[in-house]
Amino acid sequence: MHNAAFAALGLDWRYLAFEVEPQNLGAAIAGAKAMQFAGLNLTVPHKLLAVDLVDVLEASAKIWGAVNTIKFERSAGGSPANFSGHAGGTPAPPEIRAVGYNTDADALVTAVGEDLQLELRGARMLLLGAGGAGCAAALRLAAENVAELFLVNRTRSKAEALAAEIKRRFPPVRAAVGYPPAAVDLVLNATSLGLRPGDPSPLDEKQFSLKRTRAVYDLIYNPAETALLQAARANGCQTANGLGMLLHQGAKAFEIWTGKPAPLDVMRRALEQTIYGHDRK
Ligand code: ATR
């Protein structure tokens, strides 16, 4: 999606993928900085590690506790204009600093609003998963003033810790561990169940029927329709997969790096062609 966007805007930029072992993340960021890259995206398992490895955390990364986007920027003192006037005659190298951002959290809110036309304020939700993605999603949704969040996770203690954090940071939001006793507006899957063919649904339908939710959002976008989304559709729920979130986190990163509005339609088409092999709309 980024290369399509660069082409659409006539930018001579390239987006490349690199496989980096976690223990080499600091060296990889330093290397990209030394090579004067414009920026980086980070994915699992680097988003939490990068919090301690960037030079500056922008507000979004501070609030959501994870970095998925880095922008390398010249700090004021090291701008090229300083070169000629440097005392002693040796030009100082430009100071470049790695600034960490989080574009995932807002992207979830944008995508859920866009794909499911759901009013988050006052909504009741069941969240499946309390790993990295699940915690970030729960906290970001709490910040939208949802009314109630029910948290279900295979490891119950993680859901309990998350509920406690929600209560501490967002006191008006009711957070409870376990399946909801009544109907909800949205079920959101943030577990990794559904990524692999044959994975069971992350929802125990004996404990909570899909007939009791209006909509289901799955952060997984490949496969396009997980077993959970398939079952939800069969039960008449509105459904959406995580492609919209992927698109919007990328669009925001594009704007951070280039300072230009992201060509959303171009990026969406590129994603759909790359991931599904065709345009879906
Ligand atoms: P991510 O950063 O993608 O969230 P993660 O932090 O490893 O990755 O979280 C994966 C999530 O999927 C967790 O909620 C995990 O449950 P645990 O906290 O109990 O590990 C959930 N998950 C993974 N495999 C699962 C399985 N087989 N059954 C149920 N939940 C599973």
Side-chain angles (χ1 to χ4, degrees), residues 44 129-134 153-155 158 190-193 196:
V44 176
N153 193 50
R154 174 179 60 179
T155 311
K158 286 206 232 166
T191 75
S192 49
L193 278 181
R196 282 174 307 233

Side-chain angles (χ1 to χ4, degrees), residues 210-211 213-215 229-239:
L210 282 165
K211 301 218 181 316
T213 182
R214 201 192 102 196
L229 288 186
Q230 219 168 353
R233 194 162 52 87
N235 277 280
C237 306
Q238 253 186 298
T239 61

Side-chain angles (χ1 to χ4, degrees), residues 137-152:
L139 293 169
R140 185 63 187 85
L141 291 167
E144 287 299 299
N145 293 310
V146 301
E148 211 160 2
L149 286 169
F150 294 91
L151 308 171
V152 168

Side-chain angles (χ1 to χ4, degrees), residues 9-278:
L9 268 67
L11 292 171
D12 185 15
W13 295 37
R14 295 291 181 277
Y15 189 96
L16 302 164
F18 300 93
E19 186 104 19
V20 175
E21 294 297 326
Q23 69 271 21
N24 293 331
L25 182 59
I29 293 172
K33 184 199 277 188
M35 289 189 285
Q36 303 192 36
F37 279 30
L40 296 171
N41 271 145
L42 307 166
T43 191
V44 176
H46 300 308
K47 294 182 192 185
L48 299 180
L49 298 172
V51 170
D52 296 321
L53 296 173
V54 294
D55 301 312
V56 185
L57 287 174
E58 191 266 346
S60 58
K62 266 191 213 150
I63 296 169
W64 308 117
V67 170
N68 78 317
T69 300
I70 291 175
K71 181 181 188 190
F72 294 111
E73 52 175 47
R74 280 169 195 228
S75 55
S79 68
N82 268 17
F83 270 53
S84 52
H86 191 268
T90 322
E95 274 267 324
I96 298 178
R97 49 185 208 167
V99 184
Y101 294 76
N102 184 302
T103 70
D104 284 330
D106 286 356
L108 172 66
V109 169
T110 306
V112 168
E114 205 170 85
D115 293 345
L116 298 173
Q117 293 85 44
L118 192 84
E119 172 63 44
L120 292 172
R121 174 181 283 271
R124 293 162 47 85
M125 303 189 178
L126 166 58
L127 250 94
L128 307 169
C135 289
L139 293 169
R140 185 63 187 85
L141 291 167
E144 287 299 299
N145 293 310
V146 301
E148 211 160 2
L149 286 169
F150 294 91
L151 308 171
V152 168
N153 193 50
R154 174 179 60 179
T155 311
R156 190 182 164 95
S157 58
K158 286 206 232 166
E160 284 165 353
L162 177 57
E165 187 175 356
I166 293 168
K167 282 178 193 156
R168 186 172 57 76
R169 287 177 60 179
F170 305 97
V173 177
R174 288 191 297 279
V177 175
Y179 282 99
V184 297
D185 302 293
L186 178 70
V187 172
L188 185 139
N189 176 41
T191 75
S192 49
L193 278 181
L195 277 173
R196 282 174 307 233
D199 271 356
S201 166
L203 177 75
D204 182 351
E205 287 189 63
K206 286 195 212 82
Q207 303 219 51
F208 187 82
S209 161
L210 282 165
K211 301 218 181 316
R212 299 169 82 198
T213 182
R214 201 192 102 196
V216 178
Y217 193 90
D218 201 325
L219 293 192
I220 294 171
Y221 53 83
N222 195 14
E225 193 172 61
T226 56
L228 172 66
L229 288 186
Q230 219 168 353
R233 194 162 52 87
N235 277 280
C237 306
Q238 253 186 298
T239 61
N241 71 18
L243 196 86
M245 182 177 167
L246 178 66
L247 169 70
H248 286 292
Q249 65 75 31
K252 181 68 189 177
F254 183 95
E255 294 180 355
I256 289 167
W257 297 322
T258 67
K260 296 176 193 301
L264 273 173
D265 288 346
V266 168
M267 295 176 85
R268 188 188 296 274
R269 265 201 307 280
L271 273 182
E272 288 175 350
Q273 277 167 359
T274 309
I275 298 171
Y276 305 127
H278 59 85

